[in-house]
Amino acid sequence: MINDPLLKPYKIKNLEIKNRLMTSAHEPSYAENGIPKERYRLYHVERAKGGIGLTMTAGSAVVSPDSPSTFGNLHAYKDEIIPWLKQLTKECHDYGSKVMIQITHLGRRTNWNHSDWLPVLSASRVREPSHRAFPKEAEDWDIERIVNNYAEAASRMKEANMDGIEIEAYGHFLDSFWSPATNNREDEYGGSLENRIKFSRMVIDAIRKSVGRDFIIGVRMVADEDWDKGLTKEDGLWIANKLISTNQIDFLNIIRGHIDTDASLTKVIPTQGMPSSPHLDFAGEIKIKTKFPTFHASKINDVATARHAIQEGKLDMVGMTRAHIAEPHIIKKIIEGKEDKIRPCVGATYCLDRIYEGNEALCIHNPATGRERFMPHEIYIKNNIKKKIVIVGAGPSGLEAAKICSERGHTVVVFEANHSPGGQINLIIRSQRRKDMKGIIDWRIEACKKNNVNFHFNIYATKEIIEKEKPDVIIVATGGIPNTNILEEGNDLACSTWDVIAGTVHIEDDVIIFDDNGSYPALQAAEVILSKGSKLEIITPERFFSPEIGGLNHVIYAKKFIENDVIITINKRLKSIQKDGNRLSAIIGSDYSSKVEKKKASQIIIEHGTIPNSELYLQLKKESKNLGSIDYDALIKGNLKENVVNKNGKYFLYRVGDAVSSRNIHASIYDSLRICKNL
C-alpha cells in the first residue's frame, strides 16, 4: 500500500501516470533550430531517470511560422521534429515516465524582427510591453490557417508517440481573444465571452478530429487575469466549464495572472522573497468547482507543499518545475527515504532570467542541468586510488569541490579563514529577501559532513600549513576582494558595496553608487542605503540598467527604487573623487563625450567586481606538478586531464571561482564540478 500521496498513480482515460509529480511546460532553450536534439533530450531523460511521473516538454512548441521562437521554442510545424521527439519519448518511457508537449501560437508574445520576418498576430492591435511588437489584428484567413496549423502540429505529436498535448492559453494567441484587455474586435470573435472563446473551440475541435478520441488533450489556461482590464475569476470559471462541456479535453492546468510585463510575470512566476505557492488554493478552488482533472505549477519548490496539494485534493498533478531544474531526482530520493539529500531550489530564478534574456536555462547551483552529456547530477563511482585533497576556502566553489571529492572517496581537508562557511553568500543572505540562498551552503555542508570532510575554520592557510598535510591535490577557492581601485584619483575616498552590505561603514545622508558591474552587489547595497532613509543616485556606464540582472529579478529593485525616488543615470562613468570640504565631489564623464560634470555627495560607493585572492595560489604554483595549468580542450568535454609539466612537482594545483576571476555563483560551482568529478 502506498501511503505517500505523491507516489500514488493517476489515470486520465487510458493513460496511467505513475506518480503525482510533473514538470510544467517550460522552454530550457536547448533546441537547435527548433529541433530537440541530444541536449534537449538528455535534459528530459534525466528527470525520467529521477522518477518523475510526467515531464511536459516545450514552453511552448510553436505551431506556425508566424509565431517565431522567442525563448528557443520548438518548431511543432516542422515534420523533422517527429523522429527527435519520438526518441525523447521512448527514452523517457524506458524509465516509466510519461511525456507530453505544450503547443501554442505565441501571438503578440514574440517579435517580428527575426526568423521569417512575418507580422506578429493578436486578437486586436494591442501591444505587449515585454516583447514590444505592434501586432496585426488577425484576419479570417489567419484564423482558418492557424486552426489547421494546430491540428497538424497535434498530429505530429501523436506520431512521435507522445502521451498527450497541452494547449497554451495564457498570455498567448488563443487567450488574447478571451481577454477584454486584448480583444476589442467587433466581429464574430469579439464582444461576448461566447464569441471570444469561439476560436479556441475551433482549435480544440480540429485537434480532437486530428488525433482521435483516445489521445490526451489538456489546456493550460488563465482562469483569472488578476487585472482590472482582464478576465475575472468568474470569467475564467465560465470558460473552464464551457471547454469541459464539449467533452473534447481531458485536463486543465490552471494559471492566475497576466504576463505582459516583467512586473506582472513575477506574480505568476514568483521570484526570491515572494510568497511560495501563491495560486495553489486558487487552482484547488477551480478543481472543486469544475470537478475536473486539474494540474498546477507556481513556485511549489518543496516536497511538503507538493504532498499537501495532493493530500488535500487541491490538485491531481503538481508541478515542481524549477525544483526539478535544481534536482531532477526528487521522486527517486523520496522513494529511497533520502528527502534530506534533495538539492533545494533556492528561488534565485537564474534559470528563467537566462531564458528571458535569450540564453539557455541553467540552475544557479546545479551546473549539471543542461549539461547531462558531460556532467553528472550524482557521483556514484568512487576513485580506485584514494587521494589526499586540500581545499582552501569554504565558499560555494570550495564546498562544491569538497562535496564532489569526498563523494569520489578521497580524503578531504578544508581550510577556511572565517569562523563559518559561505563566502560571499554570507553577504547575500544579509538581505532577508534572499535568505534562501543559504541553502546553497547548507546542502553542501550536510553532504560534506556525511562524507567525513575535515573542516578547519578560523585558520588562514599558508603554504607551510598546506604542505604539512602532504596533499596530492590542492584546490584554491579563496575568492576575491572588492575592486575599488579603478579611478584616476580618489580611490581611497570610496567605499565598496561589501562595506555597505556588511554594515562596516556608516551610511551618509546622500549617496552615489557607481555600478560598473551591473549585477547584484550594487542593488543590494542600494537597498541597505534606502533602508537608512538616505538619498541615492546610481550611476552606470551601461546603456541600460543592471544588464547582469534578468527581468524577473529586476522587478523588486525597480519597485523599491521608484518608490524611494532613486535617480538612475546611465551612459556615465565616474572618473575620480575629490575632497570638497566635509563632502565629496564625483567627477563624472562618459564613453560618448568629452563633457565632464561634478556632483556632490556625502558618500560614494564603487562596485567593480572583485580582485582574485591569488597570493596563495601563486606561492604554491611553482612546486605543483601542473604549474596550475588545465587542459581546456579536455575540460570542455568533461574529462579533466592531469597535466604534468613539472616533474619535480609535489601536487596538482587548481583554482576555482572568484579566486580565478570575478564571475558568479554558477560559474564558481561549475569550475569545481568539472575539475573534481574525475579526480
Side-chain angles (χ1 to χ4, degrees), residues 386-394 398-399 401-403 405-406 409-416 448 451-457 459 461 465-477:
K386 191 172 185 177
K387 295 183 177 181
K388 177 75 171 287
I389 297 179
V390 172
I391 297 165
V392 186
L399 292 178
K403 173 183 174 292
C405 290
S406 61
H410 299 304
T411 299
V412 179
V413 177
V414 178
F415 291 99
E416 168 56 51
C448 287
N451 294 326
N452 299 313
V453 173
N454 189 2
F455 285 96
H456 297 282
F457 294 106
I459 293 180
I465 289 173
I466 292 167
E467 287 181 340
K468 282 182 182 178
E469 296 288 331
K470 301 189 183 314
D472 298 300
V473 180
I474 302 170
I475 297 171
V476 176

Side-chain angles (χ1 to χ4, degrees), residues 531-552:
S531 72
K532 305 296 184 182
S534 300
K535 180 182 176 183
L536 176 64
E537 179 175 3
I538 302 175
I539 298 173
T540 175
E542 304 288 351
R543 59 188 172 89
F544 60 94
F545 185 62
S546 293
E548 297 300 317
I549 305 293
L552 289 171

Side-chain angles (χ1 to χ4, degrees), residues 384-585:
N384 292 328
I385 301 172
K386 191 172 185 177
K387 295 183 177 181
K388 177 75 171 287
I389 297 179
V390 172
I391 297 165
V392 186
S397 56
L399 292 178
E400 175 74 358
K403 173 183 174 292
I404 300 299
C405 290
S406 61
E407 287 173 342
R408 290 278 289 153
H410 299 304
T411 299
V412 179
V413 177
V414 178
F415 291 99
E416 168 56 51
N418 289 317
H419 67 277
S420 63
Q424 291 180 47
I425 286 181
N426 290 329
L427 288 173
I428 292 172
I429 62 175
R430 284 176 173 261
S431 167
Q432 182 67 15
R433 187 169 51 78
R434 302 187 73 199
K435 61 184 175 58
D436 287 350
M437 295 286 277
K438 195 170 188 295
I440 295 172
I441 301 303
D442 290 347
W443 182 75
R444 288 173 169 80
I445 284 289
E446 286 304 308
C448 287
K449 286 179 179 177
K450 289 175 182 176
N451 294 326
N452 299 313
V453 173
N454 189 2
F455 285 96
H456 297 282
F457 294 106
N458 290 315
I459 293 180
Y460 188 84
T462 62
K463 182 173 181 287
E464 292 71 30
I465 289 173
I466 292 167
E467 287 181 340
K468 282 182 182 178
E469 296 288 331
K470 301 189 183 314
D472 298 300
V473 180
I474 302 170
I475 297 171
V476 176
T478 47
I481 57 173
N483 182 9
T484 58
N485 191 31
I486 63 169
L487 306 178
E488 294 171 4
E489 63 171 321
N491 290 296
D492 58 314
L493 300 175
C495 303
S496 74
T497 54
W498 288 23
D499 294 329
V500 174
I501 296 166
T504 57
V505 295
H506 173 75
I507 305 301
E508 302 292 343
D509 292 336
D510 61 317
V511 183
I512 289 173
I513 294 178
F514 176 58
D515 183 10
D516 198 16
N517 183 7
S519 192
Y520 287 95
L523 303 189
Q524 188 172 350
E527 286 186 307
V528 173
I529 291 164
L530 294 176
S531 72
K532 305 296 184 182
S534 300
K535 180 182 176 183
L536 176 64
E537 179 175 3
I538 302 175
I539 298 173
T540 175
E542 304 288 351
R543 59 188 172 89
F544 60 94
F545 185 62
S546 293
E548 297 300 317
I549 305 293
L552 289 171
N553 276 298
H554 172 77
V555 169
I556 199 158
Y557 296 109
K559 180 178 186 293
K560 184 162 287 191
F561 294 167
I562 291 167
E563 291 175 349
N564 288 275
D565 298 319
V566 174
I567 299 170
I568 307 291
T569 301
I570 62 170
N571 292 337
K572 292 190 177 179
R573 184 178 293 280
L574 181 65
K575 297 173 71 67
S576 61
I577 303 173
Q578 298 172 353
K579 271 280 196 182
D580 195 337
N582 63 350
R583 305 190 75 208
L584 301 173
S585 285

Side-chain angles (χ1 to χ4, degrees), residues 25-62:
H26 60 289
E27 192 49 77
S29 200
Y30 301 152
E32 298 177 31
N33 297 316
I35 303 301
K37 296 187 179 179
E38 182 183 48
R39 186 181 189 190
Y40 198 103
R41 183 183 76 254
L42 293 178
Y43 169 77
H44 283 283
V45 170
E46 191 68 38
R47 277 131 199 85
K49 287 181 185 177
I52 197 165
L54 170 63
T55 186
M56 186 78 74
T57 62
S60 314
V62 293

